[in-house]
């Protein structure tokens, strides 16, 4: 595929606003949202008794607007919620049924089988500020598990400066290491062999590659990486003009199963394909023409990307879900209203797209998309749901 894409009409408009963006930098630590909309009432999920059990295929969402996680039946909607801590953002679930939830206060651990919070692991990092809501709050954002489940990796936003990766020993449920990374770590991913952790720095236009040996982890086979320091890879297919005020920054990444490459979508126009070993980035064309956030990948290599809508009215298309095949062909399914994160059913046939926080606001539910036909339906699910996982 070509190393560049067609000229970007919105970039020329933004270029004239560089001075404005610089003046607003102290208040705007990124350009992926408007100020927080006032919370709206969400359908309340009834508390569940401790003895409740959770069937496979149930969805778990992080309720950024309600300080809970909500369990969602993919046919009926929300069936119960568990308090976890202030403004939960990302979550990940291990094979043992424990969910690790990145909140403003720390990483909450939830037993998804009994639907109870087991503990809260406070961050070791200082400077995250008070535990508040809003996209720019300090605290945990992206989170991932090592393949063996021995370590959780939480990207922690430290307002006004670079973020950190906090490494958690999942057996001891405590932080064992802290590694500097980029600004506002939207996403955290792990290589398939567990030897490296990849942290997407939204406001620093980069991915930080962290060898597990450099952060005290042992989550894979990467013993040779033990003495390697973390390394930064700039990922900026449109350049870095506008700095903190730019719209054209990385959000979420996935690890391609076939070769371990990192895939980062931009604007429904460009897909950055990053080789974490060499730092080399190539760019492939995308077709949705929409500001893009959440991403997921299926076992057979299909890339799913959530489009949030045009950055500027009339300068792009509306919300959508892109389904990109390994050969680069794409199907773009329209979505109704803003969305953020996405997860895929175990059989790879259904996508679940959260309606939580984006720059245009949010709604309290999930869109269920048939990946064969593109047909969709909505489920009520929690309050401003962001992170999502499918339980085994």
């Amino acid at each position: 595929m070509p190393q560049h894409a067609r000229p970007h009409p919105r970039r020329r408009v933004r270029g004239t606003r560089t001075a404005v963006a610089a003046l607003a930098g102290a208040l705007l630590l990124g350009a992926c949202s408007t100020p927080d909309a006032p919370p709206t009432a969400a359908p309340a999920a009834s508390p569940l008794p401790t003895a409740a059990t959770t069937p496979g295929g149930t969805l778990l969402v992080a309720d950024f607007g309600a300080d809970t996680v909500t369990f969602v039946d993919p046919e009926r909607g929300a069936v119960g919620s568990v308090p976890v801590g202030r403004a939960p953002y990302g979550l990940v679930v291990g094979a043992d049924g424990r969910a690790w939830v990145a909140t403003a206060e720390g990483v909450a651990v939830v037993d998804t089988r009994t639907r109870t919070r087991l503990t809260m692991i406070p961050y070791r990092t200082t400077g995250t500020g008070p535990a508040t809501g809003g996209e720019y709050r300090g605290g945990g954002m992206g989170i991932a598990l090592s393949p063996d489940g021995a370590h959780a990796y939480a990207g922690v936003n430290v307002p006004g400066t670079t973020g950190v990766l906090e490494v958690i020993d999942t057996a001891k449920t405590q932080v064992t290491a802290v590694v500097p990374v980029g600004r506002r770590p939207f996403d955290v991913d792990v290589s398939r062999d567990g030897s490296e952790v990849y942290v997407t720095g939204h406001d620093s236009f980069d991915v930080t590659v962290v060898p597990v040996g450099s952060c005290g982890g042992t989550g894979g086979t990467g013993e040779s990486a033990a003495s390697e320091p973390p390394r930064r890879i700039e990922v900026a297919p449109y350049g870095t003009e506008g700095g903190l005020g730019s719209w054209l920054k990385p959000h979420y990444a996935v690890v391609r199963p076939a070769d371990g490459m990192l895939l980062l979508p931009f604007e429904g126009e460009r897909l950055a394909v990053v080789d974490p070993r060499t730092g080399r980035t190539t760019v492939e064309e995308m077709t949705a023409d929409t500001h893009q956030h959440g991403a997921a990948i299926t076992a057979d290599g299909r890339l799913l990307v959530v489009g949030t809508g045009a950055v500027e009215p009339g300068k792009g298309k509306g919300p959508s879900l892109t389904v990109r095949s390994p050969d680069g062909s794409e199907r773009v399914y329209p979505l109704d209203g803003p969305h953020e994160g996405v997860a895929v059913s175990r059989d790879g046939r259904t996508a679940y797209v959260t309606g939580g926080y984006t720059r245009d606001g949010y709604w309290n539910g999930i869109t269920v998309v048939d990946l064969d036909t593109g047909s969709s339906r909505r489920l009520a699910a929690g309050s401003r749901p962001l992170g999502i996982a499918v339980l085994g």
Side-chain angles (χ1 to χ4, degrees), residues 12 55 63 115 158 185 194 221 236 251 273 278 282 286 331 344:
R12 292 198 294 271
D63 295 321
R115 303 179 192 176
V158 182
T221 59
H251 293 83
V273 181
T278 66
T282 57
M286 297 189 75
R331 291 171 290 164
V344 185

Side-chain angles (χ1 to χ4, degrees), residues 11-325:
R11 185 168 183 243
R12 292 198 294 271
V13 173
R14 289 188 198 90
T16 65
R17 299 178 182 174
T18 302
V20 175
L23 290 173
L27 298 176
L28 184 65
L29 297 182
C32 285
S33 74
T34 55
D36 287 349
T40 59
S46 301
L48 292 167
T50 301
T53 57
T54 304
T58 300
L59 311 176
L60 184 69
V61 296
D63 295 321
F64 197 63
D67 307 339
T68 58
V69 291
T70 291
F71 293 82
V72 183
D73 182 296
E75 298 298 329
R76 299 184 291 119
V79 295
S81 297
V82 175
V84 290
R86 190 74 173 97
Y89 194 99
L91 58 80
V92 64
V93 181
D96 61 0
R98 287 186 297 172
W100 303 81
V101 188
T103 80
E105 302 172 53
V107 173
V109 186
V110 174
D111 186 328
T112 64
R113 294 168 180 168
T114 62
R115 303 179 192 176
T116 55
R117 193 185 88 168
L118 301 175
T119 190
M120 170 69 80
I121 305 168
Y123 301 118
R124 186 185 294 180
T125 304
T126 59
T128 57
T132 62
E135 185 186 359
Y136 306 109
R137 62 128 176 90
M141 298 186 75
I143 190 166
L145 280 172
S146 61
D148 62 6
H151 293 87
Y153 304 103
V156 178
N157 179 39
V158 182
T161 187
T162 52
V164 298
L165 180 73
E166 298 220 359
V167 182
I168 296 170
D169 183 310
T170 58
K172 298 178 180 178
T173 60
Q174 64 184 31
V175 175
T176 58
V178 177
V179 181
V181 293
R183 296 178 71 115
R184 286 182 69 215
F186 258 56
D187 197 20
V188 178
D189 297 276
V190 181
S191 64
R192 291 175 64 82
D193 66 358
S195 65
E196 294 181 327
V197 181
Y198 310 120
V199 185
T200 302
H202 177 270
D203 285 4
S204 46
F205 298 90
D206 60 22
V207 169
T208 302
V209 179
V210 182
V212 295
S214 69
C215 58
T218 58
T221 59
E223 296 302 326
S224 63
S227 62
E228 293 182 23
R231 56 191 187 275
R232 175 183 182 269
I233 301 173
E234 182 175 284
V235 186
Y238 293 99
T240 60
E241 182 180 355
L244 296 182
S246 171
W247 291 97
L248 306 174
K249 294 182 284 194
H251 293 83
Y252 298 87
V254 299
V255 178
R256 188 159 63 188
D259 56 9
M261 295 290 193
L262 301 178
L263 308 180
L264 295 95
F266 288 77
E267 302 300 301
E269 292 187 337
R270 303 180 185 184
L271 179 67
V273 181
V274 179
D275 185 336
R277 295 168 292 276
T278 66
R280 182 172 181 265
T281 298
T282 57
V283 177
E284 299 178 3
E285 184 178 1
M286 297 189 75
T287 61
D289 190 20
T290 183
H291 193 57
Q292 289 179 318
H293 276 213
I297 198 156
T298 63
D300 61 4
R302 288 170 294 158
L303 172 65
L304 276 58
V305 187
V306 180
T308 68
V311 170
E312 299 175 50
K315 299 289 179 65
K317 297 178 182 177
S320 64
L321 178 68
T322 291
V323 182
R324 183 182 178 91
S325 297

